[in-house]
Amino acid sequence: AGVVAANVAMALMGDTVESYLGGDKIEVTSEEKDATMRAGAQLAQRIEGEGLVLLKNDDEALPLLEDCTQVNVFGWASTQWVASGSGSGQVSGQTTDLLDALSDAGVSYNTQLADMYRSFCGERPYKSAGALSSRASEFCRLYEPSIYDKSCYSDELLSNARKYSDTALVVISRTAGESIDCPRAQYKVDARGGVVDIDVTRSYLELSQEEEDLLRYVGKNYEHVVVLVNSTNAMELGELETTPGIDAALLVGCTGGGGVRAVVDALWGRTNPSGRTTDTYAYDFATAASWANSGAMGEGIYTNGQGLYPADGTMNANVGVSEPYDAVRFCDYAEGIYVGYRYYETAAVEAAAGNYPGFDYDAAVTFPFGFGLSYTSFKRELLDVTHEGEDLLAKVRVTNEGQVAGRDVAQLYATAPVRQGVEKSAAVLVAFAKTDELAPGEAAELELRCCER
């Protein structure tokens, strides 16, 4: 009986048993390892390139011309590029930042500016400890010298920068993730060696006063200005539209080990951005239905929770000091289904019907869900809608009507019928598909399939 049982176990789990016995060792040559690493890096760069979202491109400011081989890179975050989020989403090991990627591509950057930022603050504090060993007020700390601080931005530095290049890249970064809710206030340092200042009038996901001032200065003094939003989270980015002189903006997210090279490729047109926003970028996040219950504002505390997990002496490992959890908390998601674009699109329909007075979609939303520009232009035609069993199938023709090659994303939205009194949002993304790269004048047909039920 034992032999039979062992044979059955080996048949079902032989690979697992063999691995525990040390029989799964595989010899890999250094050449094979290097080839695998190169292939992985190329894939990561391709994924980053396809996910880049072109938010703004006035007067075809992007791509930059090939003879633009020198740029000024503004923003302290340009020297502390965000490669990943916190906790389990963190990239370990060495990563390539924007300045290195520019150099690798043969583009020179103003080292005087970079050296000034490094002397202001050399490394992002709490970076090595991570979010699991710090509080949000520490991990989500902003560092940006004031453009009016002559000890940082001396007249000589600014004059040399204008002579160096008429093109300026401005980096805006935010980082958060596991165990860290973005704080409702800004904890920031705006002077070399300065203390932490708290601005309770702005949240972490808004631009700081220093960033606004920097954008205004750069927009006024440079011919070509491109903002790179290097953030793990959606932000309030209305200033990209209202600040004079901001020509273009790219949403680049966090770029992993080496994906930032795709950002440089996109800036000079070797990659055509084809990504779309995965969230609604509102002028003011307080207009969202979920705002009131986000972060600490949404926490409730059970009055009879003492002695129950985790308020039973369990230590909290998510902060920089050892302390027990003080309560058992809960959160009521009162907004229900109205999260993100489902709220804003529904609010717009209700406002048009006279049921939601005072709501103005255009005044609320900066960049809608599913938004993204391209260096070319596309025409989309709905060819047919058919049913296959319980599936609905939409056929779409996409034609590149512009002058350069690019890829487009077709998105299918639906308004679900209300059945048995169950509420539905006014619009739901039910299918999407991206074309292969289309040359100017080339067309492709896409099939968008969703379950009608």
Side-chain angles (χ1 to χ4, degrees):
V3 171
V4 171
N7 285 334
V8 172
M10 285 300 294
L12 295 175
M13 298 180 293
D15 291 342
T16 302
V17 174
E18 189 176 359
S19 69
Y20 276 103
L21 296 177
D24 61 343
K25 293 182 179 179
I26 301 174
E27 296 295 331
V28 178
T29 66
S30 58
E31 291 80 8
E32 291 172 326
K33 176 185 175 182
D34 291 343
T36 300
M37 296 299 288
R38 284 194 301 271
Q42 291 170 359
L43 176 60
Q45 187 171 337
R46 175 189 166 190
I47 292 171
E48 171 68 20
E50 293 210 19
L52 294 171
V53 181
L54 183 61
L55 295 176
K56 178 178 182 177
N57 196 24
D58 291 351
D59 299 322
E60 298 183 345
L62 288 178
L64 300 173
L65 299 177
E66 284 297 327
D67 61 3
C68 176
T69 57
Q70 292 188 173
V71 295
N72 291 292
V73 187
F74 285 91
W76 174 80
S78 64
T79 61
Q80 282 294 296
W81 188 257
V82 175
S84 63
S86 62
S88 301
Q90 196 164 13
V91 172
S92 60
Q94 189 172 2
T95 61
T96 301
D97 64 16
L98 175 67
L99 300 181
D100 289 336
L102 287 169
S103 296
D104 292 345
V107 179
S108 300
Y109 62 87
N110 187 336
T111 57
Q112 282 187 314
L113 268 177
D115 290 343
M116 181 274 287
Y117 290 128
R118 293 189 182 103
S119 69
F120 176 79
C121 183
E123 184 172 288
R124 194 180 297 275
Y126 301 96
K127 178 181 178 180
S128 57
L132 295 180
S133 299
S134 59
R135 300 180 186 275
S137 58
E138 298 166 332
F139 190 78
C140 298
R141 195 167 288 176
L142 299 176
Y143 292 82
E144 194 69 58
S146 170
I147 189 67
Y148 304 114
D149 184 349
K150 295 301 182 182
S151 70
C152 294
Y153 290 104
S154 66
D155 291 338
E156 181 183 10
L157 177 74
L158 294 176
S159 176
N160 290 341
R162 288 193 296 271
K163 295 174 185 176
Y164 185 82
S165 176
D166 64 358
T167 299
L169 309 180
V170 185
V171 177
I172 303 293
S173 287
R174 295 293 187 272
T175 178
E178 182 184 7
S179 87
I180 291 293
D181 283 330
C182 297
R184 291 293 181 96
Q186 290 186 351
Y187 300 83
K188 61 182 185 179
V189 176
D190 59 6
R192 184 182 282 111
V195 298
V196 178
D197 181 37
I198 305 175
D199 185 351
V200 297
T201 68
R202 301 176 186 233
S203 78
Y204 179 63
L205 296 177
E206 295 179 61
L207 295 187
S208 67
Q209 184 63 60
E210 292 71 31
E211 289 168 332
E212 282 190 31
D213 293 341
L214 178 61
L215 286 178
R216 278 195 293 268
Y217 170 82
V218 174
K220 182 179 179 180
N221 287 277
Y222 287 85
E223 185 175 351
H224 309 289
V225 179
V226 181
V227 177
L228 303 178
V229 184
N230 170 218
S231 175
T232 56
N233 293 63
M235 296 180 62
E236 294 181 16
L237 297 174
E239 290 80 5
L240 298 184
E241 292 191 336
T242 59
T243 304
I246 303 300
D247 302 304
L250 267 175
L251 184 63
V252 306
C254 44
T255 56
V260 68
R261 293 185 177 91
V263 177
V264 177
D265 284 345
L267 289 172
W268 272 267
R270 292 182 283 277
T271 295
N272 190 344
S274 59
R276 299 293 184 267
T277 53
T278 57
D279 208 336
T280 300
Y281 284 70
Y283 286 103
D284 182 357
F285 285 153
T287 61
S290 57
W291 175 256
N293 286 323
S294 62
M297 286 182 63
E299 289 184 357
I301 297 177
Y302 288 103
T303 57
N304 59 345
Q306 288 299 319
L308 302 177
Y309 177 83
D312 58 357
T314 299
M315 302 303 289
N316 185 353
N318 292 340
V319 295
V321 295
S322 296
E323 62 181 36
Y325 285 95
D326 61 347
V328 180
R329 291 178 167 82
F330 65 90
C331 181
D332 286 330
Y333 296 99
E335 65 274 10
I337 64 172
Y338 296 113
V339 178
Y341 78 94
R342 289 175 174 82
Y343 165 72
Y344 287 99
E345 300 299 327
T346 305
V349 170
E350 292 297 315
N355 300 324
Y356 200 175
F359 180 83
D360 184 339
Y361 185 92
D362 292 332
V365 176
T366 318
F367 305 110
F369 176 87
F371 175 83
L373 303 175
S374 173
Y375 296 154
T376 188
S377 58
F378 295 95
K379 177 183 178 181
R380 304 183 195 101
E381 301 170 272
L382 181 61
L383 301 179
D384 193 19
V385 177
T386 57
H387 292 80
E388 293 186 2
E390 294 185 346
D391 287 354
L392 182 145
L393 182 64
K395 293 185 178 180
V396 179
R397 178 186 290 121
V398 179
T399 305
N400 183 351
E401 296 187 321
Q403 303 301 313
V404 298
R407 306 182 69 181
D408 188 39
V409 180
Q411 304 170 55
L412 181 63
Y413 292 82
T415 300
V418 176
R419 292 173 177 169
Q420 297 179 338
V422 177
E423 255 185 288
K424 300 290 183 180
S425 58
V428 179
L429 177 68
V430 293
F432 62 91
K434 179 182 279 191
T435 68
D436 292 331
E437 185 171 81
L438 301 178
E442 187 178 4
E445 290 189 9
L446 298 175
E447 289 188 348
L448 304 180
R449 180 185 297 269
C450 69
C451 179
E452 191 177 19
R453 175 179 294 181

